[in-house]
Amino acid sequence: MAGFVVMRHSVVFKVLALALCFAVAEPILITEAHHAYAQSRERGSSGGGFFSKLFGGIFKPKQQTRERKIKQRSPSRTTKRRSTRPTQRAAPVAPQINEEPKNDDAKVLLVVGDDLAGGLADGLRAVYAKTPSIRVKKLVYPSTGLVQDKSPDWPEDVSKTLALEDVGLVVVSLGAKDDAGIRFGEQEVAFQSPEWMKQYRFRVASLVASIRNEQLPMIWVGLAPAEDYLKTANYSLINDLYMEQVEPSGGIFVDIWDAYLDENGVYTSHGPDINGKRTRLRSRDGVFFTWDGYRKMAFFVEREIARVFGSASAFIFEGVKDDPNFMVLTGRLTSPETKLISNSDEKQKPVPGTAQHKLTVSGADLPNVTGRVDENRWPIF
């Protein structure tokens, strides 16, 4: 019993001793923490001290942290702010066109119109730069059209030019500023009014007649859609008026409308050039074109010229009067052909014993050629 009492007193004594140790150590720890926190404030951002390293900057002053964040976000006075506006790339510049010397009897490809014709003429010059039999010339009146009060007089000026030059084909491209009223002296007729439609049809027909009366082939290039929606609708109407007069007269209307739209049928300033590379085709005003745009337009015109004449050097066909309805079958007059190929040509008769005779006369099958795509034997495995 006495041993149990002694053990009980010993346990109580140990508990009291442990409590006394905690009571003494608590103010020491609090004092040490307060002292470390004070040192941390004095050192600022240096972050020294035991507690600062242990807790990762918990004791960092909030005001100083806020000031540092503001300082980091604020650009310095010597730093230039980067503009959020997209950089605008300059329109491609037309390269220098080095034309080979033209023949003395080279036919003239005459391009008639406003600013559109000027750019198209440069594009055609690039097309025929290596063709000595074709010389590209232009009759261009910038910032004009068919709505001016007989200035210029398009039919008269075209007729005079055709009389002076040995023109083989005429290309017309105009109308960029024709979605406006027509002037008659001091009077102006509103765009799309019945009187305007009547007068504009007459002016288009007069220009067409001045070319077709000379029995010259004519290619009329339509307008392309514009960036402005209303102007696009106006251009569509003007194109319809062109087609009404050009096609019945035997001329060719080149529709370039879809070539300057995106895959959704919407206006786009960029698109593939003649090499398939995506580039800027339209100028900043959304009406005219860059060099690549005019070169692409010339591509479509060149294609129509080839359909009329047969090749890029078709102007050397001197045996036929310039008529857009003729078709050359025997080649150039300088070529050795003297007659058309016909069934009566004895050179075409199959010779007996030849593969041609066996196939066309005897009806025999030609021998199989090993490895050719038409070999009908099963492969041996």
Side-chain angles (χ1 to χ4, degrees):
M1 184 70 179
F4 176 77
V5 172
V6 173
M7 184 182 298
R8 183 176 180 183
H9 283 284
S10 175
V11 171
V12 172
F13 177 77
K14 292 180 179 180
V15 171
L16 292 175
L18 182 63
L20 180 61
C21 290
F22 274 106
V24 174
E26 181 178 5
I28 296 175
L29 293 174
I30 294 176
T31 304
E32 179 66 21
H34 178 74
H35 179 68
Y37 175 66
Q39 290 181 351
S40 175
R41 288 178 59 107
E42 292 176 358
R43 284 191 296 267
S45 59
S46 62
F50 172 78
F51 286 96
S52 176
K53 295 180 180 179
L54 180 63
F55 297 104
I58 294 178
F59 297 105
K60 185 181 294 184
K62 293 183 179 180
Q63 179 66 25
Q64 185 177 3
T65 303
R66 180 174 178 273
E67 292 176 357
R68 171 175 292 186
K69 290 183 178 179
I70 296 175
K71 184 177 181 180
Q72 291 177 349
R73 293 178 181 177
S74 301
S76 62
R77 295 180 180 179
T78 59
T79 303
K80 295 182 180 180
R81 292 186 178 182
R82 180 177 296 179
S83 176
T84 58
R85 297 179 58 186
T87 57
Q88 294 183 351
R89 186 182 62 176
V93 180
Q96 183 178 359
I97 303 174
N98 298 320
E99 295 183 276
E100 292 185 357
K102 303 299 181 179
N103 299 338
D104 295 336
D105 58 346
K107 286 298 183 74
V108 176
L109 175 61
L110 182 64
V111 184
V112 178
D114 53 15
D115 303 81
L116 295 173
L120 176 58
D122 292 336
L124 290 174
R125 284 181 57 223
V127 171
Y128 298 109
K130 307 300 181 181
T131 306
S133 59
I134 300 177
R135 180 182 291 109
V136 179
K137 290 192 175 183
K138 56 186 178 182
L139 178 62
V140 174
Y141 295 102
S143 301
T144 60
L146 296 178
V147 297
Q148 278 72 24
D149 185 16
K150 293 185 178 182
S151 178
D153 189 340
W154 292 99
E156 182 68 20
D157 293 350
V158 169
S159 298
K160 291 180 179 179
T161 304
L162 296 180
L164 298 175
E165 300 285 351
D166 187 12
V167 178
L169 184 144
V170 179
V171 179
V172 181
S173 179
L174 47 73
K177 298 182 179 296
D178 283 358
D179 56 334
I182 296 179
R183 295 183 176 276
F184 296 96
E186 300 297 331
Q187 184 182 2
E188 181 175 345
V189 179
F191 176 65
Q192 290 187 342
S193 64
E195 184 63 23
W196 187 94
M197 300 285 286
K198 177 182 177 181
Q199 290 295 329
Y200 198 81
R201 281 194 179 98
F202 174 77
R203 297 188 179 193
V204 174
S206 300
L207 179 54
V208 170
S210 65
I211 301 172
R212 298 297 292 143
N213 289 342
E214 300 295 329
Q215 297 184 357
L216 290 174
M218 178 188 65
I219 296 177
W220 193 298
V221 184
L223 296 171
E227 184 176 11
D228 180 71
Y229 179 79
L230 180 59
K231 187 175 287 291
T232 298
N234 295 340
Y235 283 176
S236 179
L237 170 65
I238 294 175
N239 279 342
D240 291 340
L241 299 179
Y242 291 159
M243 285 188 289
E244 289 179 4
Q245 304 297 326
V246 172
E247 293 180 344
S249 67
I252 299 174
F253 180 80
V254 179
D255 188 356
I256 61 173
W257 192 270
D258 294 339
Y260 298 93
L261 298 176
D262 61 11
E263 59 275 8
N264 299 318
V266 181
Y267 169 88
T268 177
S269 60
H270 293 70
D273 60 8
I274 59 173
N275 297 316
K277 180 182 178 181
R278 181 172 176 81
T279 185
R280 187 175 188 89
L281 302 176
R282 307 301 297 271
S283 57
R284 300 294 179 183
D285 56 14
V287 175
F288 296 99
F289 301 84
T290 63
W291 161 251
D292 292 310
Y294 283 118
R295 181 62 185 86
K296 186 173 183 177
M297 187 191 302
F299 167 80
F300 293 104
V301 176
E302 174 196 9
R303 186 173 60 179
E304 296 301 326
I305 293 175
R307 289 178 179 178
V308 173
F309 293 102
S311 66
S313 58
F315 287 114
I316 64 174
F317 291 115
E318 302 291 350
V320 184
K321 177 65 178 177
D322 293 325
D323 189 340
N325 298 316
F326 79 87
M327 179 182 296
V328 178
L329 299 178
T330 56
R332 307 171 184 176
L333 292 182
T334 57
S335 60
E337 295 90 350
T338 57
K339 61 181 178 180
L340 298 176
I341 297 177
S342 65
N343 293 332
S344 61
D345 193 346
E346 296 182 357
K347 292 182 180 180
Q348 301 299 321
K349 290 182 179 181
V351 179
T354 62
Q356 181 186 12
H357 186 274
K358 292 179 181 180
L359 178 64
T360 59
V361 179
S362 303
D365 294 334
L366 294 176
N368 291 324
V369 179
T370 303
R372 202 165 64 179
V373 293
D374 61 345
E375 183 181 4
N376 55 16
R377 295 183 301 175
W378 286 95
I380 300 175
F381 299 98

